[in-house]
Amino acid sequence: EVQLLESGGGLVQPGGSLRLSCAASGFTFSSSDMNWVRQVPGRGLEWVSDINPAGGNIFYADSVKGRFTISRDNSKNTLYLQMNSLRVEDTAVYYCAKDLTGWGCFDYWGQGTLVTVSS
Amino acid sequence: DVVMTQTPLSLSVTPGQPASISCKSSQSLLHSDGKTYLYWYLQRPGQPPQLLIYEVSKRLSGVPDRFSGSGSGTDFTLKISRVEAEDAGLYYCMQSIQFPRIFGQGTKLEIK
């Protein structure tokens, strides 16, 4: 059974940092493109970042470029999102998602972890 | 960036009746590889999104056949042939022909 378990969310002050993790199991993590997608409570979905299986191809939304860093450790079956210079508008539930084809086909999602940026 | 526009933003449907959601993209989603990168996701209340349809019309394994996707180029439609109570939630289309991946605003389906 495929499982994606996010952790690392919490309350942080503006300008602070947080690192999210997504522990994967039930599939060949090292062969799968992975993504982060976020959702402001009560709002729509916003794609955040994508990383290919080897970690050599990475893409970001303009809203997080230069502040967030996606990475992965295939030996630990874990996806990460390092978030620096956090802003109030980064407050959201962050989901990790497995991409079946590498083309945005998010066939499995985690339950999400809430990040709250507030003073 | 590609802009994705969904209509309507909300609809209320009686169980057993059909439902239809439109999604229009500002650019063609037809790739040179011949595939069209348009997806449909459903987010039930309190749950993460789940994939329903990929590449316009392909149902993910396990998705009921009352869900169907159609369209080409820039105009796409998700249809539910006979709505059931469990279909309530937010429906999103998403393009992935290019980065950034862009979701539509979402369409809220309410069951009467």
Side-chain angles (χ1 to χ4, degrees):
Chain A
E1 179 192 5
V2 172
Q3 288 194 336
L4 297 170
L5 184 62
E6 301 96 338
S7 61
L11 175 63
V12 61
Q13 292 187 336
S17 298
L18 216 52
R19 188 176 85 155
L20 305 183
S21 300
C22 172
S25 61
F27 65 101
T28 307
F29 180 78
S30 59
S31 299
S32 297
D33 206 280
M34 297 296 296
N35 284 251
W36 288 99
V37 177
R38 69 184 180 183
Q39 184 173 36
V40 174
R43 304 287 295 276
L45 300 169
E46 180 187 16
W47 173 82
V48 172
S49 184
D50 170 282
I51 186 169
N52 75 330
N57 279 344
I58 287 173
F59 298 90
Y60 297 101
D62 285 347
S63 58
V64 307
K65 199 173 296 182
R67 300 187 299 121
F68 290 12
T69 302
I70 191 172
S71 63
R72 62 192 298 159
D73 185 334
N74 288 341
S75 69
K76 296 182 178 179
N77 288 349
T78 303
L79 175 72
Y80 302 101
L81 186 67
Q82 177 67 43
M83 303 186 296
N84 298 332
S85 303
L86 281 161
R87 304 168 180 168
V88 171
E89 55 265 34
D90 294 319
T91 295
V93 174
Y94 285 74
Y95 298 101
C96 66
K98 170 185 170 290
D99 190 334
L100 178 64
T101 63
W103 281 91
C105 192
F106 304 147
D107 59 337
Y108 287 97
W109 298 63
Q111 288 297 313
T113 186
L114 176 62
V115 172
T116 303
V117 185
S118 175
S119 54
Chain B
D1 294 355
V2 179
V3 176
M4 305 295 289
T5 304
Q6 289 182 229
T7 55
L9 296 183
S10 66
L11 68 165
S12 183
V13 181
T14 301
Q17 294 301 303
S20 180
I21 301 170
S22 170
C23 177
K24 296 183 187 298
S25 59
S26 60
Q27 304 172 31
S28 174
L29 302 185
L30 174 62
H31 193 272
S32 56
D33 64 7
K35 297 180 181 179
T36 300
Y37 291 103
L38 185 282
Y39 301 83
W40 289 99
Y41 294 89
L42 162 62
Q43 186 175 30
R44 295 189 174 101
Q47 295 297 313
Q50 64 180 93
L51 178 65
L52 296 175
I53 303 286
Y54 64 100
E55 294 170 16
V56 179
S57 60
K58 301 174 183 177
R59 269 191 311 275
L60 192 69
S61 177
V63 173
D65 61 7
R66 64 179 181 275
F67 290 93
S68 65
S70 64
S72 63
T74 61
D75 289 354
F76 306 93
T77 302
L78 176 70
K79 292 183 179 178
I80 310 173
S81 58
R82 292 174 302 279
V83 166
E84 297 187 5
E86 66 178 20
D87 300 337
L90 279 161
Y91 290 79
Y92 296 93
C93 60
M94 190 198 82
Q95 70 81 23
S96 64
I97 195 171
Q98 63 180 238
F99 288 99
R101 312 303 198 202
I102 300 291
F103 292 89
Q105 317 97 301
T107 295
K108 184 175 183 179
L109 173 61
E110 175 194 73
I111 311 301
K112 290 181 181 176

